[in-house]
Amino acid sequence: SLQHKDANLHPLWKGPLDVPGGSRQSPINIRVRDSVFHPNLAPISTQYDPNTCLHIWNNGYSFLVEYDDCTNKSVVSGGPLENPFRLKQFHFHWGVNNDWGSEHTVDSKVFPAELHLVHWNCTKYRTFEEAVMEDNGLVVIGVFLKLGRRNEKLQKLVDILPSVRYKDALTEFNYFDPSGLLPACSDYWTYSGSLTTPPLTESVTWIIMKKPIEVDHSQVILVHQVFVTDL
Ligand SMILES: O=S(=O)(O)/C=C/c1cc(Br)ccc1O
Ligand SMILES: [Zn+2]
């Protein structure tokens, strides 16, 4: 029973003011006191095969690490999900400084960055592209990043970023285990929402991890310095 933040009020929103028929637009502000604990909700289960990692590329908005989604080797299941959803890609949202960056907020607290792991309903649909546009098509796991200790699991990603500095750059990246980017605590919030980037379709079951992961200054600054999107 989390409130839906109106897209108009989202500080960074530059797109059309009103998404036609938008009744469950993401991101939202998670008001912890409004969340309802469901004791019978199972834990989220991720099984990721690091060998399904394909490449990293810059789509002009973020850098995406894409996975081979032709098999069920890398999936999320459990929690509120009725069947496994295949990992397609993960990407980050960050700001030009550490005062803002995350899309979701927790009791109005903004984090310096937010990781999104995008999965699609391979039981109900045949492709990711189809699932994006359909009901119950996607599951996105959101993980907040906060400044703290150096994150060794992230360093391999930070080191390769200079190679995808410009829009449409792509680099082979053939072994990466995204479960290393999940917090140790398995507590999560879940709500029905939408993609936060075009096509903004309301096809997403969001699973937001309650605890952030930590990264240190040098890792975040590198993203700020290296990553130029509009060239
Ligand atoms: O809601 S988000 O996970 O931020 C949207 C993700 C996303 C959706 C498509 Br479709 C293509 C690239 C993307 O990064
Ligand atoms: Zn995202």
Side-chain angles (χ1 to χ4, degrees):
S1 65
L2 291 167
Q3 299 306 313
H4 279 90
K5 186 172 184 175
D6 191 322
N8 304 17
L9 306 180
H10 190 256
L12 308 179
W13 183 246
K14 303 183 189 69
L17 278 183
D18 275 307
V19 175
S23 64
R24 43 178 273 192
Q25 284 295 295
S26 297
I28 63 168
N29 174 38
I30 297 168
R31 286 209 296 249
V32 180
R33 65 185 173 284
D34 291 351
S35 62
V36 176
F37 177 65
H38 288 264
N40 55 356
L41 201 49
I44 288 298
S45 165
T46 53
Q47 288 99 21
Y48 293 140
D49 175 350
N51 286 300
T52 56
C53 190
L54 293 173
H55 52 249
I56 181 168
W57 72 288
N58 174 339
N59 72 351
Y61 300 98
S62 175
F63 57 91
L64 285 77
V65 178
E66 292 203 306
Y67 281 74
D68 170 7
D69 60 347
C70 300
T71 73
N72 268 8
K73 284 182 184 169
S74 293
V75 295
V76 61
S77 56
L81 311 178
E82 279 133 34
N83 55 262
F85 284 63
R86 266 183 210 165
L87 176 67
K88 171 71 179 168
Q89 49 103 329
F90 69 79
H91 61 274
F92 293 83
H93 300 264
W94 64 89
V96 286
N97 59 50
N98 293 322
D99 298 340
W100 59 279
S102 67
E103 299 207 307
H104 290 88
T105 50
V106 180
D107 289 341
S108 302
K109 175 186 168 55
V110 178
F111 290 83
E114 182 174 337
L115 160 65
H116 288 161
L117 296 130
V118 182
H119 311 70
W120 59 279
N121 191 336
C122 49
T123 305
K124 205 172 167 191
Y125 303 110
R126 283 176 302 106
T127 64
F128 169 73
E129 287 72 18
E130 182 189 358
V132 166
M133 307 309 288
E134 300 296 337
D135 176 54
N136 191 25
L138 302 178
V139 162
V140 183
I141 298 178
V143 182
F144 294 116
L145 277 68
K146 77 171 199 181
L147 288 174
R149 294 174 51 77
R150 179 182 166 82
N151 188 319
E152 285 311 329
K153 305 267 179 59
L154 197 70
Q155 197 52 38
K156 186 181 172 193
L157 207 50
V158 172
D159 290 340
I160 201 165
L161 275 186
S163 73
V164 285
R165 182 183 167 90
Y166 299 108
K167 185 174 181 310
D168 295 332
L170 182 144
T171 304
E172 175 124 338
F173 197 51
N174 50 22
Y175 187 91
F176 189 79
D177 180 359
S179 46
L181 300 179
L182 298 176
C185 175
S186 53
D187 292 355
Y188 63 91
W189 295 290
T190 183
Y191 76 98
S192 299
S194 73
L195 291 176
T196 64
T197 59
L200 295 169
T201 36
E202 298 180 339
S203 55
V204 181
T205 297
W206 280 93
I207 292 172
I208 309 284
M209 303 314 290
K210 198 167 166 182
K211 297 279 194 251
I213 59 169
E214 292 189 23
V215 293
D216 76 8
H217 268 283
S218 69
Q219 293 176 310
V220 176
I221 284 172
L222 203 136
V223 173
H224 291 169
Q225 282 166 354
V226 157
F227 198 66
V228 182
T229 53
D230 51 1
L231 280 184

